[in-house]
Amino acid sequence: VLLRAIFDERTVDVPLAPSVWKYLQNIPIDMRDIHVFDPQLASSYQQIFLSSKVESMDIYFDDEKTLVTDSNKKEYIKQQIHSQLIASR
């Protein structure tokens, strides 16, 4: 229904999360968006981001092979936020 309305350039009163609107407008989603969705999850990501010893947390990317490190933690958090707010919807 939503895609048809967009295609027909019609206005539809559909309540969507702000992160979905941002995604549809090709605006990057970020920590503020996950905080609105799930403050506790945002807090967990913030702890990962601020940690200087992420390797000791034993966290892996979704492939279960790649360990999250200080050098790739931003990529991990970005991937997780996208997964939670966009891919799983």
Side-chain angles (χ1 to χ4, degrees):
V1 173
L2 182 60
L3 289 176
R4 183 64 187 186
I6 292 170
F7 181 75
D8 293 342
E9 297 181 6
R10 291 183 297 159
T11 301
V12 180
D13 188 20
V14 178
L16 293 177
S19 57
V20 174
W21 281 118
K22 285 176 74 173
Y23 179 75
L24 291 173
Q25 295 174 31
N26 204 27
I27 299 170
I29 53 177
D30 56 28
M31 287 291 284
R32 291 175 294 224
D33 298 303
I34 196 72
H35 184 69
V36 169
F37 176 73
D38 187 337
Q40 186 174 0
L41 187 57
S43 177
S44 296
Y45 292 152
Q46 188 71 20
Q47 287 178 350
I48 292 169
F49 182 74
L50 295 175
S51 175
S52 60
K53 297 181 181 182
V54 175
E55 291 88 350
S56 66
M57 295 180 175
D58 202 31
I59 302 170
Y60 289 84
F61 279 80
D62 290 338
D63 66 6
E64 298 179 4
K65 297 175 186 174
T66 307
L67 181 67
V68 177
T69 64
D70 289 331
S71 62
N72 67 13
K73 63 186 175 185
K74 287 181 186 178
E75 179 185 345
Y76 170 77
I77 293 168
K78 183 177 179 181
Q79 180 186 65
Q80 292 301 307
I81 290 173
H82 183 271
S83 176
Q84 290 291 320
L85 296 179
I86 304 300
S88 67
R89 303 281 162 226

